[in-house]
Amino acid sequence: MGLRYDVIVVGLGHAGSEAALACARMGLATLGLTLKRERSAVLSCNPAVGGTAKGHLVRELDALGGEMGRAADQVGTHFKTLNASKGPAVQASRLLCDRDAYAVGMQAVLFSQPNLTVREGEVAALVAGGGRVEGVVLGDGTQVSASAVLLTTGTFLQALMHVGEQKEVGGRLGDDAARGLSESLRALGFTLGRFKTGTPARLARASIDWDALEPQPGDTRVRPFSWRTKVEGEGGMPFPRQPSVTCALTETTPRTHAVLRDNLHRSPLYQGDIVGRGPRYCPSLEDKVVRFASRERHQVFLEPEGPTSPLVYPAGLSTSLPADVQLTFLHTIRGLEQVEVVRFGYAVEYDYAPPTQLKATLETKAIAGLYFAGQLNGTSGYEEAAFQGLWAGINAALQLKGEPPLLPGRDEAHGAVLVDDLVTKGVDEPFRMFTSRSEHRLKLREGNADLRLARHGHRVGLLPREALERVEARGRAVTEEVARLKRTGLAARLRRPEVTYAQLGEGREDWPVLSPDVAEEVEVEVKYEGYVAQAARAAAREAESTDRWRIPEGYCFHEVRGLSSEAVEKLTAHRPGTVGQARRIPGLTPAAVSLLLVALKRGTEAPAVCAQPED
Amino acid sequence: MTSSSMTIAALATAPAAGAVGILRLSGPEALDVGRLLAPGVPAQPTPRHAYLASFVDAEGRSLDEGLFLYFRGPQSFTGEDVVELQAHGSPRLLRLLLTRALEDARVRHAAPGEFTRRAFLNGRLDLTRAEAVADLVAADSEAAVRAAAAGLSGALASRVQALEEPLRALHADMEGVLSFPDEAEGADEDVGERVTALRAQAETLLAEVGRGRLVRRGARVALFGPVNAGKSTLFNRLVGEARALVDDEPGTTRDALEARVEWDGLAVTLFDTAGLRETPGRVEALGIARTRALLTGVDLAVLVLPPGVTQAEVEAWTRDVGGTPVLVVDGKCDVAEVSSSPRQRVSGLTGEGVDALRDDMLGRLWGGGTPSAVALVSERHADALRRASEALGRAESASRVSTLEVVSGEVGLALEALGEVSGTVVSEALLDAIFQRFCIGK
C-alpha cells in the first residue's frame, strides 16, 4: 500500500504552482512533485510578467484567487503600462521581476502552504483503470494514489536542447527531461505533438557599455497586479518593494545579420535537426533575418534580471546557433562589443498534448480525473500557463468536492477565451494570448478584472469575503455614479472625446469624492458604452445563429450528408459541443458548418423559426 | 433522408418558346425514367456524353429528336444521378415530356430551387453559389439573370475580396500595434485616412447592392403631381398602351394604376397616381392617402408639373415623397408656352421627350452604375455588406473621437461581416497577417 493524496500535481512551474496552491487552499490533500525543489516556479526565459493580454490574464488570475500577481508585485523592479494611449481595454501592465527573488518568493509560499506536500521525484508512469486516473508511479518505483492527477510538465516531456550542433537531453538548461511520461500518455491513448521554443544568451551585466545605449526607465506611475498588494499599500506598505532597474535599447546591425547568414548552415533550425514548430511571435534571430531579409536592424531590449543581478536578458536575440557564432554576432551590436556571455542561448524541443483532447475544465476526455495545464497543452508564456493551472486546479478540486465546475464564459475573461480556444480549436504553434482573440475585448479590461471575476473566486473558496466585499463596494460606486451622470445628462458630455471625468467635476461643490479606481472605471464605462453594446450585439447575433445549436454527445458526423471526409475527420477529432464551437474549428469551411446546421435542424424538433422546408 | 433521395423532375428552362428546352431529372431513378422517354439510349450510357435520341410518348411514337445527357452522381450538378433531355423548345412538347416523367410513381415534381438545394446538401455548391443559383431560378428579367450568373461565377467573391484585402492589412497593422507595441510601433500612423478610403469603397459596393436589389425585385417608379398635369397620358405613353382612364376633368385617376415593363433588361413597375390637390373630396382623399404611402416606398418618384407652376409649389410637392429620389418634369409641353424652365419637357400626347425621360429614369435608378457590375445577389449578402459598411462608418468616426482599440474593433466587425460572404474566418486570418507584416520576437 503506497501513499495516498486527493490530488497529485506533476511539475511545479507556473501552471503547477497555481494548481497545487488552489487544490490545497480548497482543502484537498495535495502532493506537488518536481524534479528539483529549488527550481520550482523559476522564470526560465525572460524576467517579465504581464504584457499585452498577459497583464489581463494575471489580473484575472488574481481576482480568482491565484498567486502569480502577488508574487510578481513583491519582486517588481521595472514597471510599464503598454498601450496607455490606445484604449483602456488594450492597456496592459508589464513588470520586470528580480528573477531569482521571484522563484524564492513563490517557493516560500508553496513550501509553507498547509495541505500541500512538495516532493522531488520524476513520474515514470500514470496509473489508470476503467477510464479513471488512479495515481502515479515514481521513478524509484514508489506508487502514489490519488483521485485526481494534474500534469503541468511544461517543456520537459522528451525535451531536447539544441545549441548549434550540440544536442542535450533536458527541459531547461541545467535540468533533466521527463522521459517515461510520454510513453505512458501514448499508452493511455493520447496523441502527442512536438513544439520548440528558444531563449537568448544571458549576458554579464558588467561587460555591457551602458553609457553607449539609450536608457529605458520604467514608468513612474506604477500599480500592482494584486488586490492583496493594494490592501497592504493602504495599510502603509510601500510599493514598489524593490529598487528599480533601468533597461536599455539597442539594435542589431547589418554586420550582425551577415554573421547570422554566413552561419545558417550551423543552425539546428535550418539543418532540419529541429522538427517541432516554434511560435511565430517569438522567432529566433536567425528566423527574423531570413524572413525579414530587407530589414537592416532589429530592436534589442537589455533587461537586467534584478537590481543586484549580474545577468542581463537581451530580449530579441533568441537563438540556437553554436556558442562561437553567438559570441561573434553579439559583438557586432552597439553596447555589446565587449560583452561576455554567462549562458548561451538555446532552443528546446518538447512533447505537447494537443488540447482538443481536453474538456472545458481541462480534464482529459479519455481519462476521468486526469487534467493537463500549461505548456503541455501547447501554450507558451508564464501567464497562459499560470491561468490554466489555476483553472485546472479549481475544477479538479470542485469535482472532488462534488461541486459544479467553474466555467466563466468568453465574455467574462480573457482566460476563458484562452481555455475555450485551446480545447475547441487546438493549436498549430505554441499558443500565446492576444486581446484580439476575444470578441468581447472592450469588456475585458485589466481595470475591471476583479469586477468580472471576484464572485467566482469567492464561490470556490479562494478569495476571502473581505476581498469580495471591497470589489462589490467599488462596483456599486461605479454603477451609482454612472447612473447619476446619465440622470443629470452629464454622461452625454462625458462621451465627447475631449472631456474627461475629472474636467466634468471641476469647480463643482456637489461633486462626489471617488477613489481613482472608481472614477477611472466610470469614465471608461460611459465613454465605451456604445461600442461595447455594438460588439455585444455582433457577438449575440453570432451566438444566436450557431451557439444555441447543441451537437449531441456522440453525434455521428458521418451521417451528415455532403460533408467532405476532411470535414468529418476534423469534426470527429474536435467533438464540438455546439455549432458555434464547430464554426471556430480551424479549416472547417462555412459550407461544412451550414451542412451541419441543416442536418441538426432536420434531426431535432426544431423551433418554428428554424424549420427547414420538408422535401 | 429517404424523402430527399426521391427522384425529382422539372423543366430547367423557362416555359416559353426558345431554341432549346431542357427537362432535368435528378435522383436514383433518373436514368431509368429518362430511358423511358428516350428508349434508344443504351442501358449504361457513357456519363457526360451527348446522345442523339428520339423522345417518345407512352405509345412509343416519336415526339421530337433531341439530346440525352447522363451525369453519374456525385459528378453532377446535384451530386446525384442526373439526366437532361434537351428538346426543341416548344413549351407544349416539353410539358408533354414532363408529364410523362411524372406519371412514373418514382418521380415527383421538384420544388422551387430543389435542384440547387440538393446540390448544396451534397456539398456540390458553396453557399454563395447556391444562393446565386436560387436567384437565377427566380429571376424574371434579363438583368437579374445576368446578375445571378455573375454571382455564380464568383464575381461577388472577387469584389468582396478587393475590399477585404486592404481592410485585413489595416486590421493587422492596428492589432499588430496593440499586441506588439514595440515591434509594430508606428504602423497605425495613417489609420484615419485608410479607414476613410475603405469606407468609401464599402459604400460604393453597398450602392451596388441597392442596384442588385433593384435587379432582383425590379424597380418601382411612380408618377405624381398636381391634378391634370398629364400624368396619365404620359403613363400610357411610357407603358405603350392605353391603361389609365384619361379625361380632362381634374382628379380622374382616383387610385394608383400599375403596369409592368422591361426597359433595357430592368423590370420596372410603373405607377400612375391620383393627382394631389389641396382640397380633395372624400373619395379622392382615400386615393391621395394611398398615393402618399406609395410615394415613400418607390425607388423613384417622377413629379409631373402642369404649365405655370411656381418654384415654391415645386418645393411643396417634392416634400410629399419623404426620402424617395424625385425627378421633376414639365408635362403637357405640347400646350405650354415655351418657357425658360430648366426642367425636362415631355408630352404624353405627342411623345416629345418621352425617350429622354425613360433614359433619365433608368440613369437615376442605376445611380450611375451599370447593371452588369451588379454582383451581389442575395439578401443575406446585402445585409452582411450593409453591416460591414456601418461598422466602417463607426470606425471612421471612432478614428476621430476614440481610441485605436475601438477603431480596430469596428474594422474587425466589418471584416467579420464580409467574411459571411467570402467565408474567411477573421481571427485566423488576422494572426497570419500580423506575423507576415511584423517582425516580432523576444
Side-chain angles (χ1 to χ4, degrees), chain A residues 546-551 571 575-585 596 600:
Chain A
T546 55
D547 276 344
R548 72 199 174 94
W549 284 99
R550 303 203 68 80
I551 302 172
L571 286 162
R575 301 231 132 272
T578 64
V579 177
Q581 286 182 352
R583 208 182 56 85
R584 294 190 282 272
I585 294 173
L596 178 59
L600 287 168

Side-chain angles (χ1 to χ4, degrees), chain B residues 35-329:
Chain B
R35 286 189 62 248
L36 284 180
L37 304 178
V41 172
Q44 282 166 339
T46 313
R48 297 163 182 277
H49 180 82
Y51 290 90
L52 186 63
S54 185
F55 303 144
V56 301
D57 67 12
E59 278 73 49
R61 280 180 308 224
S62 174
L63 294 168
D64 190 13
E65 269 210 342
L67 295 180
F68 180 105
L69 283 118
Y70 169 59
F71 304 87
R72 190 161 51 205
Q75 271 85 45
S76 72
F77 170 64
T78 59
E80 305 171 330
D81 281 359
V82 168
V83 165
E84 286 188 4
L85 303 183
Q86 304 193 351
H88 298 102
S90 144
R92 212 186 129 263
L93 171 69
L94 286 166
R95 247 175 240 128
L96 272 175
L97 285 173
L98 175 62
T99 310
R100 262 216 80 195
L102 294 175
E103 277 165 5
D104 194 297
R106 298 167 295 177
V107 181
R108 65 170 171 74
H109 199 282
E114 192 173 1
F115 288 105
T116 311
R117 190 141 59 89
R118 288 190 177 194
F120 174 65
L121 287 175
N122 289 320
R124 302 292 298 168
L125 281 178
D126 68 21
L127 213 49
T128 313
R129 290 176 182 221
E131 286 174 25
V133 174
D135 280 348
L136 194 55
V137 170
D140 64 359
S141 76
E142 189 199 332
V145 172
R146 267 211 305 273
L152 196 57
S153 69
L156 165 65
S158 69
R159 288 297 304 275
V160 168
Q161 207 181 4
L163 177 60
E164 225 175 8
E165 275 171 12
L167 205 51
R168 191 173 301 122
L170 172 64
H171 195 215
D173 281 348
M174 292 189 286
E175 288 299 326
V177 168
L178 295 177
S179 282
F180 304 99
D182 292 328
E183 292 90 338
E185 197 182 353
D188 57 337
E189 263 167 13
D190 49 358
V191 157
E193 292 132 61
R194 290 165 73 185
V195 171
T196 304
L198 288 167
R199 186 206 176 174
Q201 200 178 327
E203 303 263 307
T204 308
L205 200 50
L206 189 59
E208 287 187 33
V209 177
R211 290 199 286 280
R213 188 172 280 146
L214 214 59
V215 168
R216 282 190 304 280
R217 39 140 254 229
R220 291 152 59 86
V221 176
L223 304 183
F224 79 115
V227 288
N228 216 9
K231 293 188 300 297
S232 296
T233 317
L234 181 60
F235 175 83
N236 289 342
R237 175 66 72 168
L238 285 166
V239 171
E241 55 186 286
R243 289 288 292 270
L245 171 63
V246 185
D247 195 333
D248 278 338
E249 187 68 22
T252 308
T253 310
R254 296 225 163 71
D255 210 343
L257 289 177
E258 64 173 273
R260 229 176 122 90
V261 293
E262 186 171 321
W263 289 343
D264 294 355
L266 176 68
V268 178
T269 307
L270 206 57
F271 296 90
D272 179 25
T273 67
L276 297 166
R277 281 195 307 186
E278 292 307 310
T279 52
R282 253 189 55 82
V283 180
E284 240 189 313
L286 276 175
I288 288 167
R290 277 188 216 142
T291 296
R292 288 220 165 94
L294 176 72
L295 285 175
T296 53
V298 295
D299 299 300
L300 178 67
V302 180
L303 172 58
V304 186
L305 297 170
V309 285
T310 64
Q311 187 57 34
E313 282 174 281
V314 173
E315 277 162 23
W317 284 110
T318 315
R319 274 199 293 277
D320 268 318
V321 304
T324 306
V326 182
L327 187 64
V328 186
V329 297

Side-chain angles (χ1 to χ4, degrees), chain A residues 9-233:
Chain A
V9 177
V10 182
L12 288 179
H14 303 291
S17 296
E18 297 292 346
L21 288 171
C23 290
R25 287 168 178 172
M26 287 169 74
L28 300 176
T30 306
L31 173 66
L33 288 171
T34 174
L35 291 175
K36 269 188 208 154
R37 265 174 89 92
E38 74 275 14
R39 300 288 286 161
S40 305
V42 162
L43 300 171
S44 42
C45 194
N46 63 356
V49 169
T52 57
K54 292 164 174 272
H56 295 70
L57 289 177
V58 178
R59 276 187 209 272
E60 288 175 357
L61 174 130
D62 189 69
L64 288 169
E67 196 65 28
M68 174 174 262
R70 154 97 175 157
D73 284 345
Q74 301 287 331
V75 297
T77 63
H78 181 279
F79 297 78
K80 205 100 188 141
T81 299
L82 306 171
N83 287 336
S85 64
K86 311 283 186 196
V90 292
Q91 218 172 80
S93 313
R94 178 181 191 267
L95 69 79
L96 287 187
C97 297
D98 179 325
R99 178 207 298 279
D100 292 341
Y102 182 93
V104 168
M106 187 62 108
Q107 286 164 19
V109 174
L110 288 166
F111 301 160
S112 63
Q113 174 65 45
N115 291 336
L116 175 60
T117 309
V118 175
R119 182 182 159 152
E120 289 188 353
E122 182 185 347
V123 171
L126 288 167
V127 184
R132 261 215 84 80
V133 75
E134 290 168 351
V136 300
V137 182
L138 300 185
D140 62 7
T142 313
Q143 288 225 17
V144 189
S145 58
S147 308
V149 174
L150 283 74
L151 290 192
T152 52
T153 51
T155 60
F156 280 67
L157 284 190
Q158 296 288 344
L160 190 59
M161 292 184 297
H162 300 260
V163 186
E165 298 89 342
Q166 291 176 343
K167 295 185 191 62
E168 199 178 321
V169 169
R172 186 166 52 200
L173 205 64
D175 292 324
D176 207 353
R179 273 163 289 200
L181 208 43
S182 284
E183 270 326 298
S184 180
L185 286 172
R186 283 207 180 85
L188 288 172
F190 290 102
T191 304
L192 298 180
R194 201 92 173 130
F195 274 164
K196 73 120 191 163
T197 187
T199 194
R202 300 305 193 278
L203 312 179
R205 192 173 187 171
S207 66
I208 294 173
D209 182 7
W210 294 95
D211 295 337
L213 301 174
E214 188 184 323
Q216 300 275 301
D219 293 346
T220 44
R221 183 161 171 259
V222 299
R223 53 173 114 195
F225 278 123
S226 177
W227 63 272
R228 286 152 74 192
T229 317
K230 241 184 258 176
V231 171
E232 287 165 359

Side-chain angles (χ1 to χ4, degrees), chain A residues 45 52 83 86-90 280-283 288 291-292 298 316 434 436 441 497 528 534 561-562 615, chain B residues 1 4 117 120-122 175 178-180 188 387 394 401 403 405-406 428 432 435 438-442:
Chain A
C45 194
T52 57
N83 287 336
K86 311 283 186 196
V90 292
R280 285 176 298 176
Y281 45 83
C282 191
K288 292 197 234 181
R291 285 185 42 219
F292 293 85
H298 294 281
F434 297 106
S436 62
R441 173 163 75 189
Y528 267 46
Q534 198 61 47
R561 286 194 68 184
D615 282 343
Chain B
M1 286 304 156
S4 71
R117 190 141 59 89
F120 174 65
L121 287 175
N122 289 320
E175 288 299 326
L178 295 177
S179 282
F180 304 99
D188 57 337
R387 280 186 275 117
R394 291 191 302 271
V401 305
T403 53
E405 66 177 358
V406 171
E428 291 163 38
D432 289 342
F435 296 130
F438 301 109
C439 181
I440 281 149
K442 62 184 177 183

Side-chain angles (χ1 to χ4, degrees), chain A residues 281-349:
Chain A
Y281 45 83
C282 191
S284 62
L285 187 59
E286 47 269 37
D287 252 346
K288 292 197 234 181
V289 168
V290 171
R291 285 185 42 219
F292 293 85
S294 60
R295 292 268 300 251
E296 294 207 330
R297 42 187 57 85
H298 294 281
Q299 285 184 329
V300 178
F301 289 91
L302 299 175
E303 302 174 337
E305 295 197 346
T308 57
S309 168
L311 300 184
V312 167
Y313 178 92
L317 295 182
S318 170
T319 182
S320 56
L321 281 163
D324 60 301
V325 182
Q326 291 191 32
L327 205 57
T328 311
F329 85 64
L330 285 169
H331 287 166
T332 63
I333 296 172
R334 186 160 42 89
L336 304 184
E337 293 87 350
Q338 310 290 323
V339 82
E340 287 162 27
V341 171
V342 181
R343 277 201 300 274
F344 285 99
Y346 59 92
V348 57
E349 274 188 293

